[in-house]
RNA sequence: GGCGGGGUAGCAAAAUGGUUAUGCAGCGGAUUGCAAAUCCGUAGACGCCGGUUCGAUUCCGACCCCCGCCUCCA
């Protein structure tokens, strides 16, 4: 039985879908005006893992992750760049997709963009107005009247009294109450036509929170199973979503709320405002994308995750152990590595793996099982256990490449991002190609045959200095990147 | 100030009222021309102080420290 930690109740609960066998899940995605950073990578990877595990559990999942393609920051950035918001957002959506594919993130079933759902948002605002929860302020904005929604604060565990609005931010005089938030922003003369939509309240554009309420209910229905996002969205974004959705539809909005922890740098939250972020593509120039994915899944999704090169190096070493074990798995006849059989769920490791994953997606524990599996497979030389390792890895989007591709630093498929090509390490003095490495391996074999170990060792050392490790075995010599 | 999360061996990171987490690094051994990889063995831990208990890292209380949300943020 799958258990999920529900932010709404702050405890693990048995997961019971609204409709048996089906799961409807919504995750807050990115605002597209810049490159994605590692914090975004964590949301993508974490919920991709959730998506994959729900599917592996036999559930029919509908996964929606939205794209915010209209908001203040986008307008500002487009103006700075002297381009349309459409051009700006299209570009960064494409970059985001590249980053995701590199990280092994499956495309969600739906990826709605806010600008495509303005009519649904207007409809929702009208309902809120009809229900007496929205009002038109003197400046022309339409606001949500938080005090009229008694449940407000339930998700974040805050009471309106405790919020002390205005303590950190100036209170907007147009609001009836400082906690009220905007549903519809009136158009300003200075703004481009591109960001103005007609509405019963005059020209304008949607507030941020309404898009998720509108897109969620439009695609998944008024009541669905799981809603996720970064922990910083719990308040006010998700709190406001609940107020809007339940206020408009007069029914329960979401059963299980999930929030992932932050990526940190030097024990501080990685964020745009602090400026301490690393973009995904920046990191992918230095580290294999699967190492980054493994790094994320090696921690529990709700725990903080400290980013540093040392930690990535560590993750790389660990993943190398798994792929090294997999190296001796014979290729299934006629099939490439992309394929893979079904998991044998009766096997003990698989049972432990499942128990871990079912316990609020405990990927650190599940990964530990993978290592136990690798150890036993190495010891017993069992192809069955290696096959099991590979298919279990698949359930969380790991270990699907040909081992030599990983070990020798190649990328499977053709991500359009330029990633670790075979240029060896920066510390190296000579850069080798696979051909030159093979040549040197043959030279060394000749030297070894004539017992010229000094020359053999010299060649091995020369390669090692450029980051290439040679491994001799009965079957011959293979190489991998250090 | 309000609310919430956390402090585990050199580093990372889980579980658990009594029994090996796991990975990297370390140490000893097997293997190897020597290595690497692999295997076997080994050392090392639960912030501090009390309490409950036959027994606490695990439960309870106080304290110290760190982090997050309360503003846009994944």
């Amino acid at each position: 039985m799958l258990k999920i930690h529900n932010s709404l109740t702050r405890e693990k609960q048995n997961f019971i879908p609204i409709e048996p066998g089906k799961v409807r899940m919504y995750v807050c995605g990115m605002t597209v005006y810049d490159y994605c950073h590692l914090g975004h990578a964590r949301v993508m990877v974490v919920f991709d893992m959730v998506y994959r595990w729900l599917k592996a559990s036999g559930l029919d999942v509908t996964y929606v992750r939205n794209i915010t393609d209209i908001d203040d920051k986008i307008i500002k950035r487009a103006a700075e760049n002297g381009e349309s918001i459409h051009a700006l957002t299209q570009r960064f959506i494409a970059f985001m997709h590249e980053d995701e594919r590199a990280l092994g993130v499956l495309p969600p079933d739906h990826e709605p963009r806010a600008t495509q759902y303005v009519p649904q948002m207007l409809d929702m605002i009208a309902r809120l107005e009809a229900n007496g929860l929205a009002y038109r302020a003197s400046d022309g904005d339409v606001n949500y009247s938080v005090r009229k929604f008694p449940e407000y604060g339930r998700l974040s565990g805050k009471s309106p009294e405790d919020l002390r609005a205005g303590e950190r931010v100036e209170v907007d005089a147009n609001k009836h109450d400082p906690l009220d938030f905007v549903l519809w922003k009136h158009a300003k003369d200075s703004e481009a036509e591109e960001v103005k939509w007609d509405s019963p309240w005059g020209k304008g554009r949607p507030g941020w929170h309404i898009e998720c309420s509108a897109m969620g209910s439009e695609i998944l229905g008024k009541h669905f199973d799981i809603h996720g996002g970064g922990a910083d969205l719990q308040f006010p974004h998700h709190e406001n979503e609940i107020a809007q959705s339940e206020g408009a539809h007069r029914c329960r909005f979401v059963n299980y709320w999930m929030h992932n922890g932050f990526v940190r740098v030097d024990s501080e939250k990685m964020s745009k405002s602090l400026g301490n972020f690393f973009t995904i593509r920046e990191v992918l120039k230095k580290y294999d994308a699967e190492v980054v994915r493994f790094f994320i899944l090696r921690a529990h999704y709700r725990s903080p995750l400290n980013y540093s090169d040392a930690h990535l190096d560590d993750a790389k070493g660990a993943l190398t152990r798994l792929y090294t074990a997999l190296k001796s798995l014979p290729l299934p006849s006629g099939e490439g590595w992309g394929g893979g059989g079904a998991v044998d769920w009766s096997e003990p490791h698989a049972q432990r793996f499942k128990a871990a994953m079912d316990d609020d997606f405990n990927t650190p524990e599940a990964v530990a099982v993978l290592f136990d599996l690798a150890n036993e497979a190495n010891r017993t030389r069992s192809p069955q256990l290696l096959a099991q390792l590979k298919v279990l890895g698949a359930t969380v989007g790991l270990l699907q490449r040909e081992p030599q591709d990983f070990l020798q630093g190649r990328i499977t498929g053709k991500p359009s991002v330029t990633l670790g090509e075979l240029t060896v390490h920066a510390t190296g003095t000579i850069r080798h190609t696979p051909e030159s490495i093979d040549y040197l391996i043959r030279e060394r074999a000749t030297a070894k045959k004539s017992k010229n170990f000094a020359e053999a060792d010299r060649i091995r050392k020369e390669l090692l200095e450029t980051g290439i490790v040679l491994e001799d075995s009965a079957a011959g010599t293979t190489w991998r990147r250090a």
Side-chain angles (χ1 to χ4, degrees), chain A residues 102-131:
Chain A
L103 290 169
V105 171
L106 297 171
D109 297 296
H110 300 273
E111 206 172 37
R113 304 177 188 187
T115 53
Q116 297 166 338
Y117 287 79
V118 174
Q120 287 84 349
M121 295 186 223
L122 291 174
D123 179 59
M124 198 159 205
I125 296 169
R127 283 169 189 272
L128 288 170
E129 198 176 41
N131 288 346

PDB file of all heavy atoms in Angstrom, chain A residues 102-131:
ATOM      1  N   ALA A 102      17.370  15.715 -21.054  1.00  0.00           N
ATOM      2  CA  ALA A 102      18.712  15.301 -20.636  1.00  0.00           C
ATOM      3  C   ALA A 102      18.656  14.592 -19.288  1.00  0.00           C
ATOM      4  O   ALA A 102      19.352  13.605 -19.060  1.00  0.00           O
ATOM      5  CB  ALA A 102      19.638  16.512 -20.561  1.00  0.00           C
ATOM      6  N   LEU A 103      17.785  15.073 -18.403  1.00  0.00           N
ATOM      7  CA  LEU A 103      17.700  14.511 -17.058  1.00  0.00           C
ATOM      8  C   LEU A 103      16.833  13.254 -17.001  1.00  0.00           C
ATOM      9  O   LEU A 103      16.571  12.719 -15.930  1.00  0.00           O
ATOM     10  CB  LEU A 103      17.137  15.561 -16.088  1.00  0.00           C
ATOM     11  CG  LEU A 103      18.060  16.744 -15.779  1.00  0.00           C
ATOM     12  CD1 LEU A 103      17.301  17.834 -15.045  1.00  0.00           C
ATOM     13  CD2 LEU A 103      19.256  16.286 -14.955  1.00  0.00           C
ATOM     14  N   GLY A 104      16.377  12.818 -18.152  1.00  0.00           N
ATOM     15  CA  GLY A 104      15.571  11.599 -18.181  1.00  0.00           C
ATOM     16  C   GLY A 104      14.161  11.794 -17.659  1.00  0.00           C
ATOM     17  O   GLY A 104      13.551  10.855 -17.155  1.00  0.00           O
ATOM     18  N   VAL A 105      13.660  13.010 -17.779  1.00  0.00           N
ATOM     19  CA  VAL A 105      12.305  13.306 -17.302  1.00  0.00           C
ATOM     20  C   VAL A 105      11.306  13.044 -18.421  1.00  0.00           C
ATOM     21  O   VAL A 105      11.467  13.560 -19.538  1.00  0.00           O
ATOM     22  CB  VAL A 105      12.224  14.784 -16.849  1.00  0.00           C
ATOM     23  CG1 VAL A 105      10.801  15.201 -16.567  1.00  0.00           C
ATOM     24  CG2 VAL A 105      13.097  15.000 -15.615  1.00  0.00           C
ATOM     25  N   LEU A 106      10.321  12.227 -18.128  1.00  0.00           N
ATOM     26  CA  LEU A 106       9.297  11.930 -19.133  1.00  0.00           C
ATOM     27  C   LEU A 106       8.404  13.149 -19.328  1.00  0.00           C
ATOM     28  O   LEU A 106       8.121  13.877 -18.377  1.00  0.00           O
ATOM     29  CB  LEU A 106       8.411  10.768 -18.658  1.00  0.00           C
ATOM     30  CG  LEU A 106       9.088   9.413 -18.448  1.00  0.00           C
ATOM     31  CD1 LEU A 106       8.101   8.455 -17.774  1.00  0.00           C
ATOM     32  CD2 LEU A 106       9.557   8.846 -19.774  1.00  0.00           C
ATOM     33  N   PRO A 107       7.936  13.382 -20.541  1.00  0.00           N
ATOM     34  CA  PRO A 107       7.026  14.506 -20.740  1.00  0.00           C
ATOM     35  C   PRO A 107       5.723  14.236 -19.983  1.00  0.00           C
ATOM     36  O   PRO A 107       5.237  13.118 -19.985  1.00  0.00           O
ATOM     37  CB  PRO A 107       6.754  14.488 -22.251  1.00  0.00           C
ATOM     38  CG  PRO A 107       7.790  13.604 -22.837  1.00  0.00           C
ATOM     39  CD  PRO A 107       8.201  12.637 -21.773  1.00  0.00           C
ATOM     40  N   PRO A 108       5.188  15.254 -19.312  1.00  0.00           N
ATOM     41  CA  PRO A 108       3.897  15.070 -18.662  1.00  0.00           C
ATOM     42  C   PRO A 108       2.834  14.801 -19.729  1.00  0.00           C
ATOM     43  O   PRO A 108       3.051  15.073 -20.910  1.00  0.00           O
ATOM     44  CB  PRO A 108       3.635  16.427 -17.991  1.00  0.00           C
ATOM     45  CG  PRO A 108       4.948  17.121 -17.962  1.00  0.00           C
ATOM     46  CD  PRO A 108       5.732  16.600 -19.118  1.00  0.00           C
ATOM     47  N   ASP A 109       1.694  14.288 -19.305  1.00  0.00           N
ATOM     48  CA  ASP A 109       0.633  14.021 -20.278  1.00  0.00           C
ATOM     49  C   ASP A 109       0.065  15.320 -20.844  1.00  0.00           C
ATOM     50  O   ASP A 109      -0.373  15.368 -21.983  1.00  0.00           O
ATOM     51  CB  ASP A 109      -0.487  13.221 -19.605  1.00  0.00           C
ATOM     52  CG  ASP A 109       0.026  11.870 -19.146  1.00  0.00           C
ATOM     53  OD1 ASP A 109       0.410  11.075 -20.014  1.00  0.00           O
ATOM     54  OD2 ASP A 109       0.075  11.631 -17.921  1.00  0.00           O
ATOM     55  N   HIS A 110       0.039  16.335 -20.020  1.00  0.00           N
ATOM     56  CA  HIS A 110      -0.428  17.644 -20.471  1.00  0.00           C
ATOM     57  C   HIS A 110       0.528  18.704 -19.949  1.00  0.00           C
ATOM     58  O   HIS A 110       0.975  18.614 -18.812  1.00  0.00           O
ATOM     59  CB  HIS A 110      -1.828  17.969 -19.925  1.00  0.00           C
ATOM     60  CG  HIS A 110      -2.862  16.991 -20.349  1.00  0.00           C
ATOM     61  ND1 HIS A 110      -3.564  17.096 -21.527  1.00  0.00           N
ATOM     62  CD2 HIS A 110      -3.309  15.868 -19.737  1.00  0.00           C
ATOM     63  CE1 HIS A 110      -4.406  16.083 -21.621  1.00  0.00           C
ATOM     64  NE2 HIS A 110      -4.276  15.316 -20.550  1.00  0.00           N
ATOM     65  N   GLU A 111       0.784  19.678 -20.786  1.00  0.00           N
ATOM     66  CA  GLU A 111       1.665  20.752 -20.379  1.00  0.00           C
ATOM     67  C   GLU A 111       1.011  22.085 -20.741  1.00  0.00           C
ATOM     68  O   GLU A 111       1.451  22.782 -21.659  1.00  0.00           O
ATOM     69  CB  GLU A 111       3.018  20.587 -21.092  1.00  0.00           C
ATOM     70  CG  GLU A 111       4.156  21.192 -20.352  1.00  0.00           C
ATOM     71  CD  GLU A 111       5.502  20.835 -20.987  1.00  0.00           C
ATOM     72  OE1 GLU A 111       5.593  20.773 -22.223  1.00  0.00           O
ATOM     73  OE2 GLU A 111       6.449  20.633 -20.225  1.00  0.00           O
ATOM     74  N   PRO A 112      -0.056  22.419 -20.046  1.00  0.00           N
ATOM     75  CA  PRO A 112      -0.828  23.602 -20.410  1.00  0.00           C
ATOM     76  C   PRO A 112      -0.078  24.893 -20.118  1.00  0.00           C
ATOM     77  O   PRO A 112       0.700  24.967 -19.175  1.00  0.00           O
ATOM     78  CB  PRO A 112      -2.056  23.494 -19.510  1.00  0.00           C
ATOM     79  CG  PRO A 112      -1.570  22.767 -18.303  1.00  0.00           C
ATOM     80  CD  PRO A 112      -0.581  21.752 -18.837  1.00  0.00           C
ATOM     81  N   ARG A 113      -0.307  25.874 -20.968  1.00  0.00           N
ATOM     82  CA  ARG A 113       0.295  27.191 -20.766  1.00  0.00           C
ATOM     83  C   ARG A 113      -0.790  28.160 -20.341  1.00  0.00           C
ATOM     84  O   ARG A 113      -1.894  28.139 -20.883  1.00  0.00           O
ATOM     85  CB  ARG A 113       0.937  27.685 -22.055  1.00  0.00           C
ATOM     86  CG  ARG A 113       1.952  26.716 -22.578  1.00  0.00           C
ATOM     87  CD  ARG A 113       2.550  27.159 -23.882  1.00  0.00           C
ATOM     88  NE  ARG A 113       3.369  26.081 -24.419  1.00  0.00           N
ATOM     89  CZ  ARG A 113       4.146  26.193 -25.487  1.00  0.00           C
ATOM     90  NH1 ARG A 113       4.203  27.348 -26.144  1.00  0.00           N
ATOM     91  NH2 ARG A 113       4.857  25.165 -25.900  1.00  0.00           N
ATOM     92  N   ALA A 114      -0.446  29.005 -19.414  1.00  0.00           N
ATOM     93  CA  ALA A 114      -1.430  29.936 -18.843  1.00  0.00           C
ATOM     94  C   ALA A 114      -2.160  30.732 -19.920  1.00  0.00           C
ATOM     95  O   ALA A 114      -3.379  30.896 -19.864  1.00  0.00           O
ATOM     96  CB  ALA A 114      -0.732  30.877 -17.866  1.00  0.00           C
ATOM     97  N   THR A 115      -1.430  31.208 -20.919  1.00  0.00           N
ATOM     98  CA  THR A 115      -2.064  32.067 -21.924  1.00  0.00           C
ATOM     99  C   THR A 115      -3.129  31.339 -22.735  1.00  0.00           C
ATOM    100  O   THR A 115      -3.942  31.970 -23.402  1.00  0.00           O
ATOM    101  CB  THR A 115      -1.011  32.640 -22.900  1.00  0.00           C
ATOM    102  OG1 THR A 115      -0.242  31.564 -23.440  1.00  0.00           O
ATOM    103  CG2 THR A 115      -0.081  33.612 -22.182  1.00  0.00           C
ATOM    104  N   GLN A 116      -3.108  30.011 -22.681  1.00  0.00           N
ATOM    105  CA  GLN A 116      -4.108  29.248 -23.439  1.00  0.00           C
ATOM    106  C   GLN A 116      -5.384  29.016 -22.631  1.00  0.00           C
ATOM    107  O   GLN A 116      -6.340  28.437 -23.133  1.00  0.00           O
ATOM    108  CB  GLN A 116      -3.526  27.884 -23.838  1.00  0.00           C
ATOM    109  CG  GLN A 116      -2.325  28.006 -24.761  1.00  0.00           C
ATOM    110  CD  GLN A 116      -1.561  26.689 -24.879  1.00  0.00           C
ATOM    111  OE1 GLN A 116      -1.651  25.823 -24.013  1.00  0.00           O
ATOM    112  NE2 GLN A 116      -0.804  26.561 -25.963  1.00  0.00           N
ATOM    113  N   TYR A 117      -5.379  29.441 -21.383  1.00  0.00           N
ATOM    114  CA  TYR A 117      -6.523  29.138 -20.515  1.00  0.00           C
ATOM    115  C   TYR A 117      -7.164  30.377 -19.893  1.00  0.00           C
ATOM    116  O   TYR A 117      -7.806  30.281 -18.854  1.00  0.00           O
ATOM    117  CB  TYR A 117      -6.105  28.143 -19.421  1.00  0.00           C
ATOM    118  CG  TYR A 117      -5.903  26.752 -19.959  1.00  0.00           C
ATOM    119  CD1 TYR A 117      -4.726  26.414 -20.624  1.00  0.00           C
ATOM    120  CD2 TYR A 117      -6.908  25.790 -19.866  1.00  0.00           C
ATOM    121  CE1 TYR A 117      -4.549  25.157 -21.164  1.00  0.00           C
ATOM    122  CE2 TYR A 117      -6.736  24.523 -20.405  1.00  0.00           C
ATOM    123  CZ  TYR A 117      -5.555  24.205 -21.052  1.00  0.00           C
ATOM    124  OH  TYR A 117      -5.390  22.960 -21.589  1.00  0.00           O
ATOM    125  N   VAL A 118      -6.978  31.493 -20.540  1.00  0.00           N
ATOM    126  CA  VAL A 118      -7.551  32.722 -19.994  1.00  0.00           C
ATOM    127  C   VAL A 118      -9.082  32.650 -19.892  1.00  0.00           C
ATOM    128  O   VAL A 118      -9.652  33.051 -18.866  1.00  0.00           O
ATOM    129  CB  VAL A 118      -7.077  33.953 -20.797  1.00  0.00           C
ATOM    130  CG1 VAL A 118      -7.796  35.215 -20.325  1.00  0.00           C
ATOM    131  CG2 VAL A 118      -5.565  34.116 -20.670  1.00  0.00           C
ATOM    132  N   PRO A 119      -9.789  32.110 -20.897  1.00  0.00           N
ATOM    133  CA  PRO A 119     -11.257  32.021 -20.757  1.00  0.00           C
ATOM    134  C   PRO A 119     -11.689  31.229 -19.526  1.00  0.00           C
ATOM    135  O   PRO A 119     -12.616  31.619 -18.808  1.00  0.00           O
ATOM    136  CB  PRO A 119     -11.687  31.299 -22.035  1.00  0.00           C
ATOM    137  CG  PRO A 119     -10.607  31.597 -23.022  1.00  0.00           C
ATOM    138  CD  PRO A 119      -9.336  31.653 -22.225  1.00  0.00           C
ATOM    139  N   GLN A 120     -10.976  30.128 -19.251  1.00  0.00           N
ATOM    140  CA  GLN A 120     -11.319  29.320 -18.072  1.00  0.00           C
ATOM    141  C   GLN A 120     -11.058  30.102 -16.781  1.00  0.00           C
ATOM    142  O   GLN A 120     -11.784  29.960 -15.793  1.00  0.00           O
ATOM    143  CB  GLN A 120     -10.517  28.024 -18.059  1.00  0.00           C
ATOM    144  CG  GLN A 120     -10.948  26.982 -19.090  1.00  0.00           C
ATOM    145  CD  GLN A 120     -10.331  27.224 -20.465  1.00  0.00           C
ATOM    146  OE1 GLN A 120      -9.731  28.274 -20.739  1.00  0.00           O
ATOM    147  NE2 GLN A 120     -10.491  26.247 -21.350  1.00  0.00           N
ATOM    148  N   MET A 121     -10.019  30.912 -16.818  1.00  0.00           N
ATOM    149  CA  MET A 121      -9.713  31.716 -15.624  1.00  0.00           C
ATOM    150  C   MET A 121     -10.810  32.757 -15.417  1.00  0.00           C
ATOM    151  O   MET A 121     -11.263  32.979 -14.288  1.00  0.00           O
ATOM    152  CB  MET A 121      -8.362  32.410 -15.790  1.00  0.00           C
ATOM    153  CG  MET A 121      -7.193  31.447 -15.874  1.00  0.00           C
ATOM    154  SD  MET A 121      -5.630  32.355 -15.878  1.00  0.00           S
ATOM    155  CE  MET A 121      -4.717  31.488 -17.135  1.00  0.00           C
ATOM    156  N   LEU A 122     -11.237  33.373 -16.509  1.00  0.00           N
ATOM    157  CA  LEU A 122     -12.296  34.392 -16.400  1.00  0.00           C
ATOM    158  C   LEU A 122     -13.574  33.776 -15.864  1.00  0.00           C
ATOM    159  O   LEU A 122     -14.268  34.363 -15.033  1.00  0.00           O
ATOM    160  CB  LEU A 122     -12.554  35.034 -17.777  1.00  0.00           C
ATOM    161  CG  LEU A 122     -11.399  35.910 -18.286  1.00  0.00           C
ATOM    162  CD1 LEU A 122     -11.681  36.374 -19.712  1.00  0.00           C
ATOM    163  CD2 LEU A 122     -11.186  37.101 -17.364  1.00  0.00           C
ATOM    164  N   ASP A 123     -13.851  32.581 -16.329  1.00  0.00           N
ATOM    165  CA  ASP A 123     -15.042  31.885 -15.868  1.00  0.00           C
ATOM    166  C   ASP A 123     -14.965  31.634 -14.361  1.00  0.00           C
ATOM    167  O   ASP A 123     -15.923  31.813 -13.617  1.00  0.00           O
ATOM    168  CB  ASP A 123     -15.154  30.556 -16.622  1.00  0.00           C
ATOM    169  CG  ASP A 123     -16.368  29.771 -16.180  1.00  0.00           C
ATOM    170  OD1 ASP A 123     -17.483  30.306 -16.320  1.00  0.00           O
ATOM    171  OD2 ASP A 123     -16.199  28.637 -15.666  1.00  0.00           O
ATOM    172  N   MET A 124     -13.795  31.275 -13.930  1.00  0.00           N
ATOM    173  CA  MET A 124     -13.604  30.986 -12.515  1.00  0.00           C
ATOM    174  C   MET A 124     -13.724  32.259 -11.666  1.00  0.00           C
ATOM    175  O   MET A 124     -14.321  32.239 -10.575  1.00  0.00           O
ATOM    176  CB  MET A 124     -12.225  30.369 -12.327  1.00  0.00           C
ATOM    177  CG  MET A 124     -12.079  29.648 -11.023  1.00  0.00           C
ATOM    178  SD  MET A 124     -10.716  28.486 -11.192  1.00  0.00           S
ATOM    179  CE  MET A 124     -11.181  27.303  -9.960  1.00  0.00           C
ATOM    180  N   ILE A 125     -13.160  33.327 -12.168  1.00  0.00           N
ATOM    181  CA  ILE A 125     -13.249  34.592 -11.434  1.00  0.00           C
ATOM    182  C   ILE A 125     -14.716  35.021 -11.321  1.00  0.00           C
ATOM    183  O   ILE A 125     -15.156  35.501 -10.269  1.00  0.00           O
ATOM    184  CB  ILE A 125     -12.404  35.685 -12.129  1.00  0.00           C
ATOM    185  CG1 ILE A 125     -10.915  35.300 -12.095  1.00  0.00           C
ATOM    186  CG2 ILE A 125     -12.608  37.040 -11.443  1.00  0.00           C
ATOM    187  CD1 ILE A 125     -10.023  36.164 -12.980  1.00  0.00           C
ATOM    188  N   ALA A 126     -15.464  34.795 -12.400  1.00  0.00           N
ATOM    189  CA  ALA A 126     -16.897  35.148 -12.370  1.00  0.00           C
ATOM    190  C   ALA A 126     -17.630  34.330 -11.305  1.00  0.00           C
ATOM    191  O   ALA A 126     -18.491  34.842 -10.582  1.00  0.00           O
ATOM    192  CB  ALA A 126     -17.510  34.907 -13.751  1.00  0.00           C
ATOM    193  N   ARG A 127     -17.278  33.066 -11.208  1.00  0.00           N
ATOM    194  CA  ARG A 127     -17.902  32.224 -10.180  1.00  0.00           C
ATOM    195  C   ARG A 127     -17.558  32.729  -8.783  1.00  0.00           C
ATOM    196  O   ARG A 127     -18.403  32.754  -7.885  1.00  0.00           O
ATOM    197  CB  ARG A 127     -17.384  30.779 -10.286  1.00  0.00           C
ATOM    198  CG  ARG A 127     -17.985  29.982 -11.398  1.00  0.00           C
ATOM    199  CD  ARG A 127     -17.180  28.690 -11.555  1.00  0.00           C
ATOM    200  NE  ARG A 127     -17.582  27.967 -12.750  1.00  0.00           N
ATOM    201  CZ  ARG A 127     -18.585  27.076 -12.750  1.00  0.00           C
ATOM    202  NH1 ARG A 127     -19.237  26.802 -11.644  1.00  0.00           N
ATOM    203  NH2 ARG A 127     -18.915  26.462 -13.865  1.00  0.00           N
ATOM    204  N   LEU A 128     -16.304  33.097  -8.609  1.00  0.00           N
ATOM    205  CA  LEU A 128     -15.880  33.593  -7.304  1.00  0.00           C
ATOM    206  C   LEU A 128     -16.628  34.877  -6.957  1.00  0.00           C
ATOM    207  O   LEU A 128     -17.036  35.092  -5.813  1.00  0.00           O
ATOM    208  CB  LEU A 128     -14.359  33.842  -7.291  1.00  0.00           C
ATOM    209  CG  LEU A 128     -13.507  32.569  -7.287  1.00  0.00           C
ATOM    210  CD1 LEU A 128     -12.041  32.907  -7.518  1.00  0.00           C
ATOM    211  CD2 LEU A 128     -13.671  31.819  -5.964  1.00  0.00           C
ATOM    212  N   GLU A 129     -16.832  35.702  -7.978  1.00  0.00           N
ATOM    213  CA  GLU A 129     -17.572  36.951  -7.754  1.00  0.00           C
ATOM    214  C   GLU A 129     -19.019  36.637  -7.382  1.00  0.00           C
ATOM    215  O   GLU A 129     -19.569  37.190  -6.433  1.00  0.00           O
ATOM    216  CB  GLU A 129     -17.513  37.817  -9.015  1.00  0.00           C
ATOM    217  CG  GLU A 129     -17.861  39.279  -8.753  1.00  0.00           C
ATOM    218  CD  GLU A 129     -17.697  40.137  -9.998  1.00  0.00           C
ATOM    219  OE1 GLU A 129     -18.076  39.670 -11.100  1.00  0.00           O
ATOM    220  OE2 GLU A 129     -17.188  41.266  -9.876  1.00  0.00           O
ATOM    221  N   ALA A 130     -19.579  35.675  -8.131  1.00  0.00           N
ATOM    222  CA  ALA A 130     -20.966  35.280  -7.864  1.00  0.00           C
ATOM    223  C   ALA A 130     -21.109  34.685  -6.469  1.00  0.00           C
ATOM    224  O   ALA A 130     -22.130  34.847  -5.800  1.00  0.00           O
ATOM    225  CB  ALA A 130     -21.434  34.280  -8.919  1.00  0.00           C
ATOM    226  N   ASN A 131     -20.061  34.015  -6.017  1.00  0.00           N
ATOM    227  CA  ASN A 131     -20.104  33.403  -4.682  1.00  0.00           C
ATOM    228  C   ASN A 131     -19.710  34.385  -3.583  1.00  0.00           C
ATOM    229  O   ASN A 131     -19.568  33.995  -2.421  1.00  0.00           O
ATOM    230  CB  ASN A 131     -19.171  32.186  -4.641  1.00  0.00           C
ATOM    231  CG  ASN A 131     -19.729  31.020  -5.444  1.00  0.00           C
ATOM    232  OD1 ASN A 131     -20.903  31.023  -5.815  1.00  0.00           O
ATOM    233  ND2 ASN A 131     -18.897  30.029  -5.722  1.00  0.00           N
TER     234      ASN A 131
END
